[in-house]
Amino acid sequence: MKILIDIGHPAHVHFFKGTVKDLSDKGHEILMVTRNKEMTVDLLKKYEFNYITVGEHQTSMTGKALALLQFDYRIYQVAKKFRPDLLVALGSPYLAHVSRVIHKPYISFWDTEDANLIIKLTSPFTDTICTPSCFLRDFGERQVRFEGYKELAYLHPDEFQPDSSVLDELNLTVNDRFIIVRFISWAASHDVGLQGIKDPVEVVTTLEKYGKVFISSEKPPVPELEKYLLHISPEKFHSLLAYATLYIGEGGTITTEAAVLGTPAIHIEANAKGEATGNTSGNFREIRDTYGLMYFFPDQDAALKKAVQILENTDSKQEWQQKRARLLADKINVSAWMTDFISEYPESCQKHLTERDTKK
């Protein structure tokens, strides 16, 4: 088959990289489309994927709205030339729309229940919606559930082993204690009305009493925190995250990545009512309540209190590794599952739906 994949975020490159390699090895032809966003193009180049950039990523809601039809048209032009048999993405409205114009099936992967705008723009044009088994929304007969999280497509031990050379780059050893703090831009459509860390300086100064602090940020930090900025190649970030003593910050993807790597993970995010948003995510709830690998709080005061508690426990990393082992025993290699599902589509979809109906 010819398969067109849309890449909207650096995490999407990681999500698809194992599957793209395996599908290519099976003889399928893969083309990716993307916009210039953060480290996305750098990662696509690093992994030597076949891709086309269709424009600049838009950060404002107005910019996103104005660019919607523009990107739809540009990707349609790519599709008209490439002639794909199947379109695949992580919730891309562009591919959803183009799939209907060219009359080819579209498979969408979802793990964010409250991305309401994107779901409204995408769902009516999507043939199959693949979600984790714990996903809280029901899309009916089109929905296929799998026992995993999107992060287990690239961080399952069959797909990833941390590279300790990243520690050498930062003058660290495997015995050093260090904390990764994440700040996001809050520019995504599903971030509207949400808020996170109020006082970044307080967070960093509190945490650095327990180890070296590194900041990963989508936006420039305040001047006094610039010296904490992390400067490593983007493909090495997950190795560093695996060795970290603690992760704390905004942004759900990295929180889940830390958790499935066995690094204590704390997420800070609140809605307009000041409530923790993690309760709206099936992934977050399961990782916290079933496996105890994650915490989420609506404010930084409660989050810092928990962070200090974890950091003062010198056995916390070992305890999290044991919790991780339990999670991995229950979950699948999502990349391998995706390879089979996509390469055997649409028969694979019918097989899953039949099995689901049999269990009812």
Side-chain angles (χ1 to χ4, degrees):
M1 287 190 294
K2 286 188 171 184
I3 303 170
L4 184 65
I5 298 176
D6 184 37
I7 301 294
H9 188 279
H12 298 183
V13 183
H14 296 301
F15 177 68
F16 283 112
K17 66 181 179 182
T19 298
V20 167
K21 180 181 182 303
D22 291 342
L23 288 171
S24 298
D25 289 345
K26 288 176 177 286
H28 302 291
E29 185 177 351
I30 313 295
L31 176 63
M32 297 178 170
V33 287
T34 190
R35 275 72 59 206
N36 282 320
K37 173 181 169 61
E38 213 175 342
M39 302 168 292
T40 305
V41 173
D42 291 338
L43 284 168
L44 290 169
K45 289 179 179 177
K46 174 68 180 178
Y47 296 122
E48 299 181 343
F49 288 144
N50 184 24
Y51 73 92
I52 294 174
T53 304
V54 295
E56 296 296 321
H57 171 72
Q58 301 297 314
T59 57
S60 70
M61 290 305 296
T62 301
K64 292 177 188 294
L66 294 174
L68 179 61
L69 292 179
Q70 181 184 68
F71 289 147
D72 276 0
Y73 178 73
R74 290 178 180 175
I75 294 174
Y76 165 71
Q77 292 293 103
V78 172
K80 188 167 66 171
K81 184 176 181 180
F82 181 59
R83 301 173 63 86
D85 301 294
L86 182 65
L87 294 83
V88 182
L90 262 166
S92 167
Y94 316 120
L95 253 61
H97 301 161
V98 170
S99 73
R100 280 297 173 266
V101 177
I102 66 173
H103 305 291
K104 295 295 180 180
Y106 170 53
I107 301 173
S108 180
F109 290 86
W110 280 106
D111 77 332
T112 305
E113 286 92 339
D114 55 2
N116 295 311
L117 177 59
I118 298 298
I119 289 174
K120 288 179 180 178
L121 290 170
T122 305
S123 180
F125 311 100
T126 303
D127 296 275
T128 301
I129 300 171
C130 298
T131 71
S133 58
C134 58
F135 197 77
L136 300 176
R137 296 181 69 155
D138 184 359
F139 292 104
E141 289 301 310
R142 294 177 300 158
Q143 187 173 6
V144 172
R145 296 178 182 266
F146 56 88
E147 280 296 336
Y149 317 116
K150 84 171 189 292
E151 293 76 12
L152 285 175
Y154 51 96
L155 295 179
H156 190 279
D158 291 345
E159 303 291 331
F160 171 81
Q161 291 295 325
D163 180 2
S164 62
S165 67
V166 70
L167 300 176
D168 297 331
E169 291 184 30
L170 298 170
N171 296 315
L172 296 168
T173 72
V174 292
N175 296 318
D176 287 330
R177 291 162 61 82
F178 66 93
I179 301 105
I180 297 176
V181 180
R182 173 71 168 173
F183 303 126
I184 65 170
S185 64
W186 300 102
S189 60
H190 56 264
D191 290 331
V192 174
L194 303 180
Q195 55 190 346
I197 294 171
K198 295 293 188 183
D199 188 344
V201 174
E202 181 192 17
V203 170
V204 172
T205 55
T206 299
L207 296 174
E208 68 178 346
K209 299 171 186 175
Y210 299 91
K212 194 166 185 178
V213 174
F214 296 100
I215 291 176
S216 167
S217 184
E218 290 182 337
K219 58 187 178 184
V222 294
E224 55 264 52
L225 295 183
E226 288 181 357
K227 64 181 180 179
Y228 299 93
L229 276 175
L230 184 61
H231 298 288
I232 57 171
S233 301
E235 72 275 8
K236 296 182 179 181
F237 179 77
H238 294 124
S239 291
L240 188 68
L241 190 63
Y243 289 111
T245 309
L246 175 75
Y247 165 81
I248 180 171
E250 308 160 333
T253 294
I254 298 183
T255 308
T256 307
E257 290 173 344
V260 301
L261 286 169
T263 295
I266 299 176
H267 181 63
I268 304 172
E269 183 178 276
N271 59 24
K273 297 179 180 178
E275 302 165 330
T277 56
N279 287 309
T280 65
S281 166
N283 285 3
F284 273 26
R285 282 166 52 169
E286 182 173 271
I287 293 171
R288 180 192 65 178
D289 298 340
T290 303
Y291 300 104
L293 284 160
M294 174 195 297
Y295 296 95
F296 45 86
F297 299 97
D299 65 88
Q300 73 181 53
D301 292 339
L304 278 176
K305 184 177 179 181
K306 176 55 71 174
V308 169
Q309 179 185 339
I310 293 171
L311 290 167
E312 288 183 344
N313 174 10
T314 56
D315 295 326
S316 61
K317 185 73 174 190
Q318 182 180 355
E319 292 171 3
W320 254 255
Q321 289 293 315
Q322 293 170 351
K323 296 174 185 179
R324 178 194 186 227
R326 181 170 165 242
L327 179 147
L328 292 174
D330 293 342
K331 301 302 178 182
I332 63 170
N333 177 340
V334 174
S335 182
W337 182 88
M338 289 165 55
T339 299
D340 291 341
F341 187 82
I342 292 170
S343 63
E344 297 170 12
Y345 190 86
E347 288 79 8
S348 56
C349 182
Q350 186 56 52
K351 176 184 175 183
H352 281 277
L353 294 177
T354 300
E355 289 176 351
R356 183 187 65 187
D357 292 341
T358 302
K359 292 177 182 178
K360 288 182 178 179

